[in-house]
Amino acid sequence: MPTIRVTYVVPESLEDEVVATLWARGTTGVQVLDGGGDGAVRLEAWFEGEAPSGPVGGVEPSGVEEVPDADWMAPYRALAKPFPVGQRLLLDPRDPDDAGTDPSQVSESGRTTLRIPARAAFGTGSHESTRLALELLEATDVRDARVLDVGTGTGVLAFAALLSGAREVVAFDVDPAAPLHARTNAELNRAPLSGRRPLLFAGTLAALGDGAGRSDLAFDLALVNVIPEEIASDLSRLLDLLAPGSRAIFSGILAEHGPRVLAGLAERGLRPVAERAAAEWVAFLMERRG
Ligand SMILES: C[S@@+](CC[C@H](N)C(=O)[O-])C[C@H]1O[C@@H](n2cnc3c(N)ncnc32)[C@H](O)[C@@H]1O
């Protein structure tokens, strides 16, 4: 599948909006470049296979080009170092061959290492939205819970839920490559996960059927690090799959959209329990009223 690079010259005031729209339109990565000091920034966005045609966030592309296939993250992996997240995890984005052979994957500081080698389309767990979701997960009692990981990507949230004592994790992604990638990562983390792994599939929530009134399908916790626009059409179905009193972590929300997203979730019977923010991102731990 060809990789396509699209360039946009965007007024600084529209940068966040256009970047969020690019993620919603399926970019696999966005780089913000200095626009030359004239109040504009240059954005380079990568797409696999097909790029959006026409304007994004009201801005027309200034360039579209196909770039030869390459492992863009290889130089990053070569230089990357493990980094702590929350109180209990260390995420290791290096190549598995460089990540050492410690079978327990428990660091001297007592943190459990999750090996999530950086790959272009799936990130490393270093993105704020992933960090915020992991921090809220750490603040939630997951023991014996049945967990749903919506948009699993690398599988990192699913693995963290299993480490926290979840009974079962069902994880899926609309990107057909993601569950394959998450399965490889589950194998890399076989030791800390004690051989347990999420139940992975490619597809949408519809694959889980209609949860309304079906307690046998109900989950105790949903992990949703997905841009609100991308999950909006599945939200009713998601809430039908949550048992009364269950919880959901919503991340991937630009801070400026936080109040609107929170109000929308409240209208649907969810109450806020905790909130975390970093840079321009915010995440909410919500509870479904009984
Ligand atoms: C920001 S990434 C999060 C990946 C990972 N959960 C994490 O926290 O690092 C969002 C993921 O959601 C997937 N996605 C987007 N819309 C979705 C939907 N409606 N249903 C399932 N997956 C979706 C994307 O393909 C992408 O892998």
Side-chain angles (χ1 to χ4, degrees), residues 35-247:
D38 55 356
V41 288
R42 202 155 67 89
L43 302 179
E44 285 185 350
W46 280 267
F47 295 87
E48 293 300 323
E50 211 179 332
S53 57
V56 167
V59 179
E60 289 282 355
S62 57
V64 179
E65 61 186 312
E66 197 172 310
V67 286
D69 267 350
D71 182 355
W72 301 106
M73 298 301 276
Y76 171 83
R77 286 198 304 278
L79 296 174
K81 298 234 176 326
F83 54 93
V85 176
Q87 303 296 313
R88 300 200 291 258
L89 287 179
L90 199 63
L91 297 190
D92 190 343
R94 293 175 294 173
D95 263 322
D97 288 347
D98 298 336
T101 52
D102 169 17
S104 73
Q105 292 183 213
V106 176
S107 73
E108 280 170 21
S109 59
R111 288 174 181 270
T112 303
T113 302
L114 280 178
R115 290 179 182 157
I116 311 286
R119 303 269 174 245
F122 303 104
T124 62
S126 62
H127 191 271
E128 280 90 354
S129 67
T130 305
R131 279 176 167 271
L132 294 175
L134 286 167
E135 285 174 18
L136 285 174
L137 180 61
E138 204 171 86
T140 311
D141 186 358
V142 186
R143 282 170 302 173
D144 210 31
R146 203 164 170 254
V147 178
L148 180 63
D149 180 17
V150 179
T152 192
T154 59
V156 61
L157 302 184
F159 305 150
L162 285 170
L163 283 177
S164 300
R167 171 164 43 103
E168 179 182 31
V169 181
V170 176
F172 70 98
D173 202 294
V174 284
D175 181 339
L180 299 174
H181 186 63
R183 190 173 65 185
T184 305
N185 286 342
E187 200 49 44
L188 275 178
N189 293 292
R190 171 172 262 283
L193 295 174
S194 307
R196 300 176 69 213
R197 53 169 66 179
L199 187 66
L200 290 158
F201 72 89
T204 66
L205 261 181
L208 291 176
D210 184 0
R214 293 274 310 272
S215 58
D216 56 323
L217 288 178
F219 289 88
D220 306 303
L221 175 68
L223 307 171
V224 191
N225 179 12
V226 180
I227 288 169
E229 291 74 13
E230 288 190 322
I231 197 63
S233 59
D234 279 337
L235 200 53
S236 296
R237 194 179 278 278
L238 172 65
L239 299 184
D240 282 346
L241 287 164
L242 292 180
S246 61
R247 293 185 163 194

